[in-house]
Amino acid sequence: MIEQPARWMRKLYPHATWRMDPEEHAVYLTFDDGPIPEATPFILKTLADFNIKATFFMVGDNVKKFPGLFQQIVDGGHQVGNHTMNHLGSFKHWTTTYIINVFQANELIHSHLFRPPHGWMRHSVYYWIKKYYRVVMWDVVTRDYSNRLTAEDVVNNVKRLTRNGSIITFHDSLKSIDKLYTALPESIQWLKDQGYEFKVIP
């Protein structure tokens, strides 16, 4: 259920994008939580080495702290998305507080895409957010953030669950970077070997 959400979970947010065109042999790499100096440069270099683009769902406070990294993402031709100003969990905050936080982040990120931290929103939040943003969830979560998984486990999640149109989520974070040194290039190489095209969320 975590790595690939069940149908009932997708029905909670019916207007959200969980997967792209299933008839298209393409995947959409996404990175959550950055930018940070400990992880983002490696991710950008790896993507550049493979000549592919990705979509970065960024925390506004990190963009504020590291504007140069944000600009590197934009200059690299990658897509950007909003991940709230302070990585807020929707159920821990009032609806108004959460929505204000999202709009504060967008003053820095300037995106029409939004992904909620932890993949959950109050329905009162969802009602408002979907009016202004394309809500993008995922088809595959690599769980690169988990201290119970190795880098090879992360790669195996990609191999086991990826299909046409998959939105694959990695994390641009301290929890993930040690695994990404191995898992990211191995995952990309495997996807290329399977003939997948790499695209960004439009």
Side-chain angles (χ1 to χ4, degrees):
M1 187 183 75
I2 296 173
E3 289 92 348
Q4 194 162 63
R7 289 183 181 180
W8 67 262
M9 190 175 177
R10 297 171 188 244
K11 289 180 180 178
L12 292 175
Y13 310 109
H15 299 286
T17 301
W18 293 89
R19 180 186 179 190
M20 302 300 282
D21 187 354
E23 301 300 320
E24 189 174 40
H25 197 54
V27 293
Y28 297 74
L29 299 188
T30 65
F31 295 87
D32 288 2
D33 300 348
I36 59 169
E38 296 86 352
T40 310
F42 171 78
I43 293 170
L44 290 175
K45 182 182 184 304
T46 302
L47 294 174
D49 287 346
F50 283 97
N51 194 29
I52 61 178
K53 308 301 181 186
T55 303
F56 288 77
F57 289 93
M58 291 179 282
V59 174
D61 190 53
N62 285 340
V63 172
K64 186 176 181 179
K65 290 176 181 175
F66 309 111
L69 289 178
F70 171 77
Q71 196 59 48
Q72 285 182 41
I73 292 169
V74 173
D75 291 346
H78 303 287
Q79 181 64 280
V80 298
N82 187 327
H83 203 46
T84 76
M85 186 70 186
N86 303 101
H87 203 264
L88 294 192
S90 176
F91 293 104
K92 296 181 180 180
H93 300 273
W94 295 105
T95 296
T96 302
T97 301
Y98 190 92
I99 292 171
I100 289 172
N101 198 267
V102 171
F103 280 92
Q104 285 176 335
N106 219 44
E107 290 178 1
L108 299 168
I109 299 168
H110 307 294
S111 176
H112 63 289
L113 304 177
F114 176 75
R115 174 177 283 167
H118 316 297
W120 298 96
M121 287 176 285
R122 294 177 185 267
H123 268 80
S124 54
V125 168
Y126 174 58
Y127 172 81
W128 285 102
I129 292 296
K130 69 183 178 65
K131 290 184 174 184
Y132 299 97
Y133 298 89
R134 179 178 189 172
V135 178
V136 180
M137 295 299 203
W138 65 87
D139 187 52
V140 178
V141 173
T142 62
R143 294 190 69 205
D144 52 353
Y145 55 82
S146 175
N147 58 16
R148 297 182 179 182
L149 271 62
T150 66
E152 287 308 309
D153 292 329
V154 172
V155 175
N156 286 335
N157 280 338
V158 173
K159 292 180 178 180
R160 181 168 56 93
L161 298 169
T162 298
R163 52 189 178 173
N164 285 356
S166 281
I167 299 171
I168 304 173
T169 298
F170 292 93
H171 290 79
D172 184 2
S173 71
L174 291 173
K175 291 182 179 179
S176 301
I177 187 58
D178 286 345
K179 300 182 194 71
L180 289 185
Y181 287 133
T182 299
L184 184 58
E186 284 192 12
S187 294
I188 292 173
Q189 186 60 61
W190 182 84
L191 291 165
K192 290 180 77 72
D193 291 344
Q194 306 310 303
Y196 283 105
E197 184 180 356
F198 293 83
K199 294 189 173 184
V200 298
I201 306 295

